[in-house]
Amino acid sequence: MSVWIFGYGSLVWRPDFPHVERRAAWIDGWSRRFWQGSTDHRGVPGDPGRVVTLVREEGARCWGSAYRIESGNGEAILDRLAHREKGGYDRITLDIHLAAPGEGAVTGFVYFANPDNPNWLGPAPLPDIARQVRRSHGPSGANTEYVLQLAAALRDMGVEDAHVFALADLVKEDGAP
Ligand code: BEZ
């Protein structure tokens, strides 16, 4: 049996676990938002960066990457991801739609930050989010890198995400307020 993981954040551009295959994929009914604070990767305690989570939105579609991992490796990889994402993410099970024609959907794991977790930041005007991203750094590097790499990976896939692309444009703007 295969284990699938859907990545919609850093896992889109930097999957750091062994996988058998990677597919363009989407999940329905969820939007990607930079509403989760990061105090362990792209920010520090007291000065968090912003990373993505999923929020429920009827009719929305979130594109990302689906990874198939060997079932023998499954528990070890999931444990590693759980440790890596201990800053507020829970693992949920969702239908993951594989983009290739005729491939249908698989069931797999997705990491999701509940609004009641201690690092939750929630919505804010996009220019404020951009300012926070531009000043934030953490053990995994600059918060700007996270935003720009994610936007570049989604553009390479040829998929749309207005929130990510608008934020990436603001983050790139020289001298943005
Ligand atoms: C991801 O899909 O890249 C991801 C997002 C949040 C936590 C863990 C992974």
Side-chain angles (χ1 to χ4, degrees):
M1 255 196 51
S2 294
V3 176
W4 288 88
I5 297 174
F6 179 76
Y8 59 96
S10 60
L11 297 186
V12 176
W13 54 276
R14 203 188 53 189
D16 58 355
F17 54 82
H19 49 277
V20 181
E21 58 179 320
R22 168 194 190 138
R23 305 289 189 87
W26 77 81
I27 54 174
D28 277 334
W30 297 88
S31 290
R32 174 177 17 230
R33 291 287 180 268
F34 275 85
W35 290 2
Q36 173 69 359
S38 174
T39 56
D40 54 358
H41 287 293
R42 301 289 168 171
V44 291
D47 203 359
R50 278 195 180 242
V51 292
V52 286
T53 185
L54 295 169
V55 294
R56 276 216 164 276
E57 189 186 347
E58 206 173 315
R61 175 164 289 184
C62 176
W63 281 91
S65 298
Y67 298 93
R68 184 162 71 85
I69 57 182
E70 274 177 15
S71 53
N73 278 345
E75 278 311 315
I77 291 173
L78 291 170
D79 283 354
R80 204 164 99 196
L81 284 171
H83 178 75
R84 198 187 93 167
E85 304 306 338
K86 61 185 183 304
Y89 289 91
D90 295 326
R91 195 171 78 202
I92 54 174
T93 304
L94 291 178
D95 287 339
I96 302 168
H97 300 268
L98 305 179
E103 295 240 296
V106 295
T107 301
F109 297 116
V110 183
Y111 289 85
F112 153 77
N114 250 311
D116 60 7
N117 86 82
N119 289 328
W120 176 261
L121 295 175
L126 216 51
D128 292 353
I129 295 181
R131 269 190 289 276
Q132 185 173 357
V133 165
R134 286 164 62 115
R135 69 163 188 263
S136 295
H137 294 259
S140 298
N143 205 173
T144 50
E145 180 199 28
Y146 179 105
V147 173
L148 297 177
Q149 294 277 16
L150 177 59
L154 294 174
R155 284 192 210 281
D156 282 351
M157 290 169 65
V159 300
E160 186 49 48
D161 191 315
H163 176 76
V164 174
F165 293 161
L167 180 60
D169 287 347
L170 283 175
V171 162
K172 268 187 299 201
E173 269 175 27
D174 275 340

